[in-house]
Amino acid sequence: MDSGNVAWILASSALVCMMIPALALFYGGMVGSRRILNMMMMCFGGASLVAVLWALFGYSMAFGNSVGGLGLIGDVTEFPGMGQLLAKDDSASIPLILFAAFQLFFACVTTALVAGAAAGRMKFGAWMLFAGIWATVVYFPIAHWVFAFNSADGSTVGGWIANGIKAIDFAGGTAVHMNAGAAALALALVLGKSSGWPKVEHAKPHSRPLVLLGAGLLWVGWFGFNAGSALAAGQSASVVFLNTAVAASAGLLAWALVERVRHGAATSMGAASGLIAALVAITPACGAVSPLGALAIGAIAGAVCSLAIEWKFRLGFDDSLDVVGVHLVGGIIGTLLIGLFATDKAPNGVSGLFYGGGLEQLGIQAIATVSVLAYSFGVTWILAKILDKTMGGLRIKPEDELRGIDLAAHSELAYLMDEDPVDLGSPQRV
């Protein structure tokens, strides 16, 4: 084994793990002061549950030998409990169990992303049940499609997107961001709008510094997310690292410019959102494009997503924290633009339209995009509908929504003000 590669993937795994509290801060700052604890608990709780499921059977479903060789789902009986990964393989560059740990955090982050569409109005128990089932029936299968590659000796068959049509998704534009965005849209439609939407006074962002802090930590974590997906400390990881940095910067500036032109001011919320939108878009493309291509993709994502977040008002769905406008739209942009900006000099070794490759790769990327969106949205909508009908509704009581879900769901407040009651019930945890 290569100790340098092992060290890099260990560090990258820790960086991706850091994205969970970073997302909790980012989302937490975007909600009202009496919603922040619930929002952060949805991130931590959902991620923790998925980590347990990953160890029990999720890794097998995502990376086990494809059932029937169809590329749809991994054999759940191949690595139950992951005890089989304890054996050392001296022929591998990194331990297989380390790869499993690295991918575990992808599953955790993806599930936590979906929580942004349900901020402040979904029962915590219902969210936890939803998160566990959703990861099982949506994330694990799609991860198999996109991330599971055939073994070199042909003994293991992977997913149909990675090996059948050979779509490019370096670190998860389809499996992570489009998947989470489509699921967020379906969940938001089933949940319905917040009380008083679209002018929800009690749900306005309560801490823009927390949003910026969370976005900054997400940016740092994203280097592990993207460059770690090279699975080695070498040229590919270095190219991806640079592409991730410049794309994010271009996205922040593009969103700020659009805001300045359209609304007269570049806001901190816009800067943070532009940063994240560009990181989303470069995720699938980071190994396929040059730094100039990364700049273009980041700038396009920042500009387009700044317009896309307004669609929820025109179309009438309450995507509380813009998971659809940023992650779904940004993921689509990054995945499709590979077909235009890809260069065979980048690690993926494929050329898009602008580099003489024609339209073939764009068509392949479009097939992967439509397939993931259709499956994720459709299955999530059905799942949310079933839970809504069988659990007495997914929503908390209207009065609890107005006074703040933190008290109703967790018997806690993030900030104790003079006018707040001292006795919040049992347990007392102020």
Side-chain angles (χ1 to χ4, degrees):
M1 291 188 182
D2 187 306
S3 59
N5 291 342
V6 173
W8 170 236
I9 305 307
L10 283 168
S12 294
S13 300
L15 287 171
V16 181
C17 179
M18 187 185 72
M19 295 176 74
I20 298 167
L23 181 67
L25 289 171
F26 181 71
Y27 276 175
M30 293 175 70
V31 300
S33 61
R34 291 175 179 248
R35 292 179 164 197
I36 178 175
L37 294 179
N38 177 253
M39 190 69 260
M40 299 182 82
M41 281 291 290
M42 290 177 79
C43 292
F44 281 108
S48 298
L49 175 60
V50 171
V52 172
L53 299 180
W54 184 261
L56 294 176
F57 57 81
Y59 177 75
S60 269
M61 290 182 67
F63 291 99
N65 197 12
S66 189
V67 176
L70 300 176
L72 298 177
I73 192 70
D75 183 358
V76 72
T77 66
E78 189 169 356
F79 304 107
M82 298 200 296
Q84 299 84 345
L85 304 184
L86 295 175
K88 184 179 179 183
D89 181 3
D90 290 324
S91 66
S93 176
I94 63 170
L96 187 57
I97 198 166
L98 174 55
F99 173 77
F102 178 63
Q103 284 291 333
L104 175 150
F105 293 117
F106 279 62
C108 295
V109 170
T110 306
T111 305
L113 285 172
V114 181
R121 64 191 191 280
M122 186 174 184
K123 296 174 183 175
F124 184 67
W127 160 252
M128 292 296 289
L129 183 59
F130 169 87
I133 299 175
W134 183 85
T136 301
V137 299
V138 178
Y139 181 79
F140 297 159
I142 292 180
H144 183 74
W145 299 358
V146 176
F147 292 144
F149 288 89
N150 297 340
S151 62
D153 60 6
S155 60
T156 300
V157 177
W160 71 272
I161 288 180
N163 305 283
I165 63 174
K166 292 182 169 55
I168 295 174
D169 186 351
F170 196 87
T174 53
V176 176
H177 298 292
M178 275 194 283
N179 187 8
L185 176 59
L187 182 60
L189 291 175
V190 174
L191 275 173
K193 304 166 188 175
S194 298
S195 301
W197 190 87
K199 295 182 179 180
V200 188
E201 294 297 324
H202 59 276
K204 286 184 177 180
H206 85 285
S207 177
R208 286 166 174 79
L210 278 187
V211 175
L212 287 170
L213 175 61
L217 291 174
L218 282 169
W219 191 2
V220 176
W222 229 290
F223 289 114
F225 199 88
N226 285 359
S229 294
L231 299 180
Q235 177 69 17
S236 293
S238 302
V239 171
V240 169
F241 200 101
L242 176 61
N243 283 346
T244 300
V246 298
S249 302
L252 185 153
L253 295 175
W255 190 303
L257 178 61
V258 170
E259 272 195 325
R260 180 68 177 82
V261 171
R262 297 185 71 222
H263 305 297
T267 67
S268 60
M269 289 284 289
S273 299
L275 179 74
I276 301 304
L279 287 167
V280 168
I282 199 58
T283 293
C286 55
V289 300
S290 69
L292 286 179
L295 283 170
I297 289 173
I300 292 169
V304 173
C305 290
S306 69
L307 304 174
I309 62 168
E310 298 178 7
W311 296 351
K312 65 182 180 182
F313 301 112
R314 299 178 184 179
L315 299 177
F317 64 90
D318 181 6
D319 172 25
S320 305
L321 305 185
D322 296 318
V323 187
V324 177
V326 173
H327 292 274
L328 188 149
V329 175
I332 292 173
I333 289 171
T335 300
L336 293 182
L337 288 183
I338 291 171
L340 303 181
F341 289 104
T343 170
D344 59 6
K345 293 181 173 59
N348 282 124
V350 173
S351 291
L353 179 64
F354 296 162
Y355 289 83
L359 291 171
E360 180 181 2
Q361 192 62 42
L362 179 60
I364 292 172
Q365 299 300 119
I367 292 171
T369 296
V370 172
S371 300
V372 170
L373 291 179
Y375 181 83
S376 180
F377 178 86
V379 176
T380 304
W381 189 86
I382 293 170
L383 170 61
K385 273 292 187 182
I386 292 173
L387 293 179
D388 190 45
K389 297 298 183 183
T390 57
M391 296 187 65
L394 297 176
R395 294 282 292 265
I396 61 173
K397 297 177 182 178
E399 57 268 27
D400 289 333
E401 187 177 335
L402 289 173
R403 72 172 182 148
I405 193 172
D406 287 356
L407 275 175
H410 308 290
S411 297
E412 295 177 304
L413 287 174
Y415 313 104
L416 186 60
M417 308 298 183
D418 290 340
E419 65 271 18
D420 287 326
V422 175
D423 183 10
L424 300 177
S426 181
Q428 169 68 282
R429 300 195 192 106
V430 177

